[in-house]
Amino acid sequence: MKMSLKKEMFDRKNILVVGDVMLDKYWFGDSERISPEAPVPIVKMDRVDQRLGGAGNVALNIANLGVRTSLLAVVGNDEAGSCIRELLERGNITSLLESDSTVSTTVKLRVVARNQQLLRCDFESPLREESLIQHLNVYKKEINGADGIVFSDYAKGGLSHIALMIKEANRLGIPVFIDPKGSNYDKYENATVITPNKKELADVVGKWTNEEQLTEHAQNLRNSLNIKYLLLTRSEEGMTLFSDSGKLTIPTEAKEVYDVSGAGDTVIASLSAAFCAGFSIEDSIVFANVAAGIVVGKVGTAPVTFDEIQKSISSNRFA
């Protein structure tokens, strides 16, 4: 794998991220005793943090690599929605957010003590069809000029029209990258790359007992849906790419794992950025694997920078 890793390659590209955006809230504190009211830890809070989550975290990871990034999603007309807009502006991400006063912006609240997540509370509401139609109309306008489309599916309803969106991208010859969710992958037909983890893939094709079964299941799924590449993320086992060329497994880069929150976001973000910058699919996976190894060593959803990846990539991978 010999490719020059230059930031200028990323600076010239445009990627549109579409999907389920959310606000990740963190309450950080310390816990030294158990509550007398119930067998749960008491956490003394000392810091609150708010970050882009879901498709927002994907967009932030792409933007941090220098790629010109836009985010299309639906949020509520509420405090969380306003916070997401501010975070997008701060992250140099073009906001294409659609506001719907009848819904609540999705929020994930995590309580963290001593680098361990103790509790997560989710706040969300279903999206209206009227908002999704407008969402689709904006997409058809904004897709022109994009070098790649990333769909971040968190099963919150923001990608109800994804089949039509993929069709439009294919018509224009724009590569499509999907972080999937749920057991129905028919809606992802004709995608360029999908990146399920082990559980997500097993929910679709069934469990496997050996590598031969895994390869058969993955290739059958890929071929039946006309998906060019299926990248299976396998935690401590690394990543495996399935394509017309066969199977390629790359071992994990993670040294220490503190938090896997957002690791899937980092994979799809760095993979799409590298591929759109001109990397081969194999080099794009190496790039994404290094990025994922960095992010799991951080607490919570946190983006990876180009400099961090460049520092971690050994000289025998990239010239």
Side-chain angles (χ1 to χ4, degrees):
M1 297 181 180
K2 294 292 182 181
M3 174 171 280
S4 178
L5 186 59
K6 296 179 180 179
K7 194 170 185 298
E8 299 79 48
M9 300 169 65
F10 295 82
D11 294 340
R12 296 190 292 266
K13 299 303 176 181
N14 295 278
I15 292 181
L16 172 62
V17 180
V18 188
D20 299 307
V21 68
M22 56 197 70
L23 182 65
D24 281 339
K25 299 184 71 170
Y26 292 87
W27 290 357
F28 293 99
D30 196 11
S31 178
E32 296 181 343
R33 58 196 181 98
I34 301 298
S35 171
E37 303 168 352
V40 295
I42 296 174
V43 181
K44 183 180 180 182
M45 298 299 173
D46 56 27
R47 181 164 62 94
V48 175
D49 198 4
Q50 300 188 124
R51 306 174 187 176
L52 291 168
N57 188 44
V58 173
L60 186 59
N61 270 274
I62 296 173
N64 267 28
L65 297 175
V67 177
R68 290 191 289 270
T69 310
S70 302
L71 175 63
L72 175 60
V74 179
V75 297
N77 188 16
D78 50 23
E79 182 180 352
S82 298
C83 184
I84 288 175
R85 292 181 186 277
E86 292 175 5
L87 291 171
L88 290 176
E89 183 177 359
R90 195 182 306 169
N92 198 30
I93 300 164
T94 300
S95 172
L96 301 173
L97 297 183
E98 296 289 318
S99 291
D100 187 338
S101 59
T102 68
V103 304
S104 299
T105 302
T106 299
V107 176
K108 292 183 179 180
L109 170 62
R110 298 173 175 92
V111 178
V112 180
R114 298 186 178 184
N115 289 336
Q116 294 293 321
Q117 185 180 144
L118 303 181
L119 176 68
R120 194 182 93 182
C121 300
D122 290 5
F123 306 86
E124 61 187 67
S125 61
L127 301 179
R128 294 188 310 151
E129 181 63 20
E130 290 87 344
S131 297
L132 296 173
I133 291 296
Q134 178 62 21
H135 189 249
L136 179 60
N137 292 335
V138 174
Y139 171 83
K140 289 178 179 178
K141 295 178 183 177
E142 296 295 336
I143 190 175
N144 293 291
D147 295 295
I149 311 294
V150 176
F151 293 105
S152 178
D153 194 348
Y154 272 78
K156 306 301 182 186
L159 290 174
S160 295
H161 299 294
I162 189 171
L164 293 174
M165 292 177 169
I166 293 173
K167 183 178 181 180
E168 184 67 11
N170 288 336
R171 185 181 69 82
L172 297 174
I174 302 172
V176 170
F177 308 85
I178 302 175
D179 189 2
K181 190 72 69 177
S183 59
N184 176 22
Y185 277 24
D186 291 349
K187 58 188 176 182
Y188 304 136
E189 187 174 7
N190 299 318
T192 309
V193 185
I194 62 171
T195 61
N197 60 32
K198 290 189 293 185
K199 182 183 182 304
E200 289 166 345
L201 184 61
D203 287 343
V204 178
V205 303
K207 295 182 179 180
W208 55 86
T209 58
N210 54 53
E211 287 296 306
E212 290 73 21
Q213 282 187 354
L214 167 60
T215 299
E216 181 180 3
H217 290 333
Q219 293 287 40
N220 285 343
L221 175 66
R222 191 182 64 81
N223 288 323
S224 68
L225 297 178
N226 192 34
I227 292 171
K228 192 169 186 180
Y229 304 110
L230 189 155
L231 178 63
L232 176 64
T233 56
R234 310 179 66 175
S235 301
E236 70 279 357
E237 297 173 348
M239 301 179 182
T240 300
L241 175 71
F242 298 94
S243 68
D244 288 342
S245 300
K247 182 178 87 168
L248 172 65
T249 296
I250 299 175
T252 183
E253 288 282 341
K255 302 298 186 297
E256 292 183 275
V257 177
Y258 291 109
D259 194 342
V260 297
S261 299
D265 296 341
T266 300
V267 170
I268 195 72
S270 51
L271 171 66
S272 61
F275 192 86
C276 291
F279 288 37
S280 68
I281 187 63
E282 294 82 8
D283 283 354
S284 297
I285 293 169
V286 171
F287 189 84
N289 195 38
V290 172
I294 295 170
V295 79
V296 297
K298 301 181 178 183
V299 177
T301 52
V304 178
T305 67
F306 181 89
D307 290 341
E308 286 176 314
I309 298 175
Q310 188 175 50
K311 184 177 179 180
S312 296
I313 292 179
S314 57
S315 58
N316 66 339
R317 288 202 176 105
F318 292 85

